[in-house]
Amino acid sequence: MAAVSMQISDGVAVITVDNPPVNAISQAVRQGLMDAIAAANADERARRILLICAGRTFMAGADVSEFGKPPLKPDLPDVVAAIEGSEKPVVAAIHGQALGGGLEIALGCHYRIALQGSRLGLPEVNLGLVPGAGGTQRLPRLIGAEKALEMITSGKPVNADKAAALGLVDQVMAGELQAEALVYTQTVAATVPAERRLSSRPVKTVSGSLFDDWRKVKAKRQRGVQSVQACIDAVEAACTLSFEAGRQKEREMFLALRGSAQSVALQHIFFAERQAGKVAGLNGAELMPVQSVAVIGAGTMGTGIAMAFAQKGFDVTLLELSAEALARGMERICSLNAKSVQRGRMSADQSEAMQARIRTTTDYADLADVDMVVEAVFEDLGVKTKVFAQLQAVCKPDVILASNTSYLDMNKLAATMERPENVVGMHFFSPANIMKLVEVVKTDYCNPVVLKTVLGLLKTLGKVGVVSGVCHGFIGNRMYQSYQREAGLLLLEGATPAQVDRALYQFGMAMGPFAVADMSGIDISYMMRKALTPEQYDTRAFTVHDRLVESDRKGQKTGAGFYRYEGGEGAGVNDPEVLALIESVADELGFERREISDAEIIERCMLGLVNEGAHIVEEGIAGSASDIDVVYVNGYGFPRHLGGPMHYAKAMGIDNAAAKIASYAEVLGDRWWSQSDTLNQAAVQGHWD
Ligand code: NAI
């Protein structure tokens, strides 16, 4: 079947794009559209043209298999221009998704109608690009500069109703699209009114400071992301230049960004996230039904996890030791919801409905029918084992039992159960109702269908699941310890907390490691380290942390940690006492202090992550280096536009990274800088996987 076909029906040339699964705009589709528009204009039986797509969606974007290859003619801008230039009026009938090039094609059409529930957007910014086929020039002419800026710089699609309110679509349809679209098309004027060709429309004048204001806001919110600023430039061009000059500028920016390091990194992480949720060899395996969920423990994590499920319509039973603990938990949920309502993130009705889906109990017997349990009680194997035994006594035999443990040995926990194959780790990040990452910990006993079910469920929750093997701290926290270790050693060697934090913030991390430690409480990792032997970590790097905790400087919650917090939360200020403590610990441990450059801070902390990451891949704890990148971008504030730590090494040249790691091994010793075969092989190959 041709990717694009044309049929005449009641005076309408119906052009159908059929390129499964998502009608990606491949070369065959582009050429097919060119030919079909020409044929429809030449065919006397048709006075009007309807563009529609077969299958589950309108055109949902570019053909990813053409990425990174020499461009094939015809270019998309020429296709859009041909559609817009059609003598006979063209109506786009949208269902499913009209994204990226798909929406740009629709903007080339003279009329747009959309089926209820469809989504329209220009997500190119998320791949480090600007829309490259006139989207930044036509959209402001249709919906105004400010709304266009909103859609283009966020990359977020709007639904059909919102699109109608914006003027992006002319009508929303509710029934059978093709039939309704045919009727609609027959009603449009046979001659295209001038203003229906968006390129010839003037743009409404905008206030002088609009673009600079947007640049400033976005420079803060999407720090360092080139494509966001380029999108603003492109929309500004639409408002200040002729259509042709603006379109040329857009194309130049698109081509320049396409090969940029940031775009390569953003594409890497885009594909890595899609890959992460897949379980090899399980195609066609039936998933286990999960409708009702229980959460054990209504503390920080349990409440967040309950919210994550309830938000997506699951019935949740929250179990605690006492009615008081449950009341505290529900209070927390209500107050978090109230804040979300206040900020406009959810309506009061949604908040109420969500809370109504969470029921509370102190009685395990109430969990007899649930399909899945997520345990989030104290981080103590004894306590968790007891909870699991109680669950086993009351739950259905095939219930999925998950633990939110951060560090404990999931194999040991699973081994205490009659059905260890149904036990899995589900390591959510705090706040669990917001953070996207969940490490799914696969024990030695794990049933792959359970794993696949959990990963599928996470997708439903809007989370990104990454499979991790069993080890202390799993993928993320195990690597984070290497990062903190280098940061801690750099303090002793001559840096200050503020310098380390500033250097890593400027690199792009959401926060520096000492600001993070103060925020989450230095005592949390202190307690975790108490369970380790001195052979398992570099005690020197954490001596300052330990001394701070022992003098009741646990971070923000005690008003002081690495920084001092005057007047509650917010940015901390430097504290001479901490600097004196660092110097005295350095002296005690025999460090000679020297000047440390920001470049060294970034390189050591990043390569600390990379080297541990390579060991983690070698041991099979992570399925691939790209899984590690997904963990770091979604759970640890690693800048998405740098693609994650393993991609960072690839971008600098893995051979180069390996050589630097080898030189650190010489200077700093190979206790932490020993090189894995995975690293050495990747250095030769030039890539990880
Ligand atoms: P928390 O101390 O805030 O909450 C634990 C709750 O469990 C308390 O409300 C307690 O009353 C309840 N509980 C204790 N024993 C129980 C039992 N036998 N039956 C029912 N409820 C019981 O602790 P948090 O921070 O929520 O941590 C929970 C788990 O999540 C731990 O395993 C922790 O390592 C893990 N985790 C914590 C993260 C964090 O940032 N706080 C991040 C990721 C995982």
Side-chain angles (χ1 to χ4, degrees):
M1 173 102 187
V4 182
S5 59
M6 188 187 83
Q7 273 180 329
I8 309 292
S9 178
D10 294 334
V12 175
V14 181
I15 299 176
T16 306
V17 175
D18 188 5
N19 184 26
V22 292
N23 292 315
I25 310 161
S26 63
Q27 192 276 338
V29 170
R30 296 196 298 276
Q31 188 61 56
L33 283 170
M34 283 294 228
D35 296 345
I37 287 289
N41 272 283
D43 197 317
E44 284 173 4
R45 293 170 300 164
R47 294 191 67 195
R48 299 171 178 85
I49 302 169
L50 169 63
L51 174 58
I52 195 163
C53 291
R56 61 177 144 103
T57 181
F58 194 74
M59 287 164 268
D63 181 351
V64 291
S65 70
E66 287 181 17
F67 279 19
K69 297 194 184 144
L72 297 167
K73 293 274 171 197
D75 288 336
L76 188 58
D78 295 338
V79 177
V80 179
I83 295 172
E84 193 183 63
S86 162
E87 294 257 317
K88 297 178 184 173
V90 187
V91 175
I94 295 166
H95 72 295
Q97 320 227 52
L99 298 180
L103 182 56
E104 290 181 297
I105 287 177
L107 287 168
C109 297
H110 309 116
Y111 301 87
R112 285 156 295 280
I113 57 175
L115 193 62
Q116 196 97 53
S118 45
R119 296 178 346 130
L120 298 85
L122 292 170
E124 286 85 346
V125 71
N126 298 327
L127 294 180
L129 300 169
V130 294
T136 64
Q137 304 304 298
R138 287 190 178 87
L139 192 62
R141 287 176 158 81
L142 183 61
I143 67 171
E146 182 135 31
K147 297 289 177 208
L149 278 171
E150 247 171 63
M151 278 186 72
I152 296 171
T153 60
S154 73
K156 282 195 192 132
V158 295
N159 63 28
D161 288 329
K162 175 95 191 281
L166 287 170
L168 177 53
V169 299
D170 297 292
Q171 206 165 309
V172 179
M173 305 292 186
E176 207 276 301
L177 184 64
Q178 174 130 358
E180 290 194 16
L182 253 181
V183 173
Y184 180 89
T185 305
Q186 281 158 344
T187 65
V188 304
T191 321
V192 181
E195 77 277 5
R196 285 278 165 182
R197 292 200 167 88
L198 295 180
S199 66
S200 60
R201 259 199 206 190
V203 198
K204 285 206 188 91
T205 43
V206 291
S207 91
S209 65
L210 177 74
F211 297 103
D212 282 340
D213 293 347
W214 272 76
R215 283 189 187 98
K216 274 186 216 139
V217 170
K218 290 291 174 177
K220 261 198 197 150
R221 291 214 191 125
Q222 281 156 290
R223 199 158 46 94
V225 187
Q226 292 160 350
S227 56
V228 174
Q229 296 292 327
C231 285
I232 300 172
D233 293 350
V235 176
E236 186 176 36
C239 299
T240 51
L241 305 177
S242 69
F243 176 81
E244 200 37 49
R247 203 193 62 73
Q248 262 176 29
K249 182 158 185 193
E250 176 204 78
R251 190 72 185 163
E252 279 160 23
M253 285 196 280
F254 170 79
L255 293 174
L257 285 170
R258 196 167 59 171
S260 69
Q262 286 197 3
S263 179
V264 171
L266 286 162
Q267 287 177 36
H268 158 74
I269 203 73
F270 176 86
F271 290 115
E273 282 173 355
R274 265 140 203 83
Q275 199 54 39
K278 294 189 181 144
V279 186
L282 273 186
N283 289 345
E286 215 169 289
L287 299 185
M288 296 157 77
V290 177
Q291 256 133 28
S292 57
V293 178
V295 177
I296 317 296
T300 311
M301 294 308 290
T303 48
I305 295 167
M307 289 170 82
F309 278 101
Q311 255 160 16
K312 297 290 172 183
F314 288 85
D315 291 325
V316 180
T317 309
L318 191 54
L319 185 142
E320 255 289 354
L321 289 172
S322 66
E324 294 73 42
L326 281 172
R328 273 197 305 274
M330 284 312 290
E331 220 169 89
R332 201 177 123 77
I333 292 173
C334 294
S335 100
L336 287 172
N337 271 355
K339 269 191 205 148
S340 295
V341 172
Q342 214 177 15
R343 290 189 187 144
R345 289 206 192 120
M346 99 178 7
S347 70
D349 287 352
Q350 281 170 325
S351 153
E352 228 166 79
M354 190 259 246
Q355 276 156 229
R357 281 193 282 273
I358 305 177
R359 45 178 216 139
T360 55
T361 185
T362 52
D363 186 356
Y364 275 85
D366 287 339
L367 311 187
D369 294 326
V370 297
D371 302 315
M372 176 169 177
V373 183
V374 185
E375 163 279 310
V377 303
F378 300 138
E379 184 75 347
D380 178 303
L381 192 59
V383 176
K384 288 191 194 287
T385 307
K386 246 194 201 156
V387 168
F388 269 58
Q390 280 168 290
L391 291 169
Q392 180 163 269
V394 296
C395 290
K396 298 190 290 198
D398 58 350
V399 66
I400 298 176
L401 296 179
S403 170
N404 185 47
T405 179
S406 311
Y407 294 97
L408 298 174
D409 186 336
M410 281 301 304
N411 279 331
K412 281 193 185 151
L413 187 57
T416 64
M417 304 296 285
E418 276 162 25
R419 286 204 179 192
E421 66 275 20
N422 278 22
V423 174
V424 69
M426 254 175 125
H427 183 216
F428 285 83
F429 285 67
S430 181
N433 55 318
I434 306 223
M435 292 289 284
K436 286 208 147 184
L437 179 66
V438 179
E439 287 178 315
V440 180
V441 184
K442 178 183 167 190
T443 72
D444 291 348
Y445 311 92
C446 188
N447 172 358
V449 177
V450 169
L451 201 63
K452 192 169 174 174
T453 300
V454 170
L455 287 165
L457 191 65
L458 287 172
K459 225 176 182 184
T460 313
L461 296 186
K463 304 284 184 197
V464 183
V466 176
V467 177
S468 170
V470 176
C471 68
H472 185 80
F474 314 123
I475 298 173
N477 282 346
R478 173 170 155 186
M479 284 173 66
Y480 198 71
Q481 197 167 60
S482 309
Y483 174 79
Q484 281 181 308
R485 178 196 69 229
E486 290 312 309
L489 290 173
L490 284 160
L491 286 191
L492 301 176
E493 289 172 37
T496 65
Q499 188 198 358
V500 172
D501 280 352
R502 193 190 56 234
L504 289 162
Y505 176 80
Q506 280 171 355
F507 169 80
M509 298 298 287
M511 285 169 90
F514 299 110
V516 170
D518 274 0
M519 190 185 69
S520 34
I522 318 175
D523 53 321
I524 304 278
S525 56
Y526 176 87
M527 283 178 316
M528 179 279 293
R529 282 193 299 279
K530 290 289 156 214
L532 297 177
T533 63
E535 286 71 46
Q536 287 174 291
Y537 72 106
D538 195 327
T539 52
R540 299 171 308 163
F542 298 94
T543 308
V544 173
H545 296 67
D546 291 355
R547 299 265 167 98
L548 287 172
V549 173
E550 284 155 10
S551 58
D552 203 36
R553 297 184 60 129
K554 296 177 186 160
Q556 287 188 11
K557 60 186 168 191
T558 56
F562 282 98
Y563 302 96
R564 185 165 283 288
Y565 299 86
E566 276 135 18
E569 289 183 6
V573 294
N574 290 323
D575 187 343
E577 262 182 49
V578 175
L579 301 184
L581 172 67
I582 292 168
E583 279 177 24
S584 97
V585 171
D587 198 37
E588 202 182 302
L589 297 176
F591 280 84
E592 228 167 82
R593 288 172 65 77
R594 63 188 165 89
E595 186 119 337
I596 309 268
S597 71
D598 287 2
E600 181 179 352
I601 293 171
I602 293 165
E603 193 178 283
R604 274 201 28 208
C605 291
M606 287 303 138
L607 292 181
L609 282 176
V610 171
N611 199 40
E612 194 63 25
H615 281 291
I616 280 176
V617 172
E618 180 143 308
E619 292 167 30
I621 298 295
S624 65
S626 70
D627 276 1
I628 291 177
D629 287 337
V630 175
V631 167
Y632 264 75
V633 166
N634 289 287
Y636 292 83
F638 196 99
R640 194 176 182 84
H641 61 276
L642 298 184
M646 306 310 270
H647 182 80
Y648 162 85
K650 187 173 171 222
M652 75 188 276
I654 303 174
D655 51 349
N656 188 11
K660 289 192 162 155
I661 288 169
S663 69
Y664 283 136
E666 256 175 45
V667 181
L668 302 167
D670 65 1
R671 182 174 174 201
W672 309 115
W673 291 101
S674 70
Q675 291 141 71
S676 56
D677 290 343
T678 298
L679 176 70
N680 292 330
Q681 274 163 22
V684 175
Q685 288 169 193
H687 56 87
W688 292 107
D689 302 310

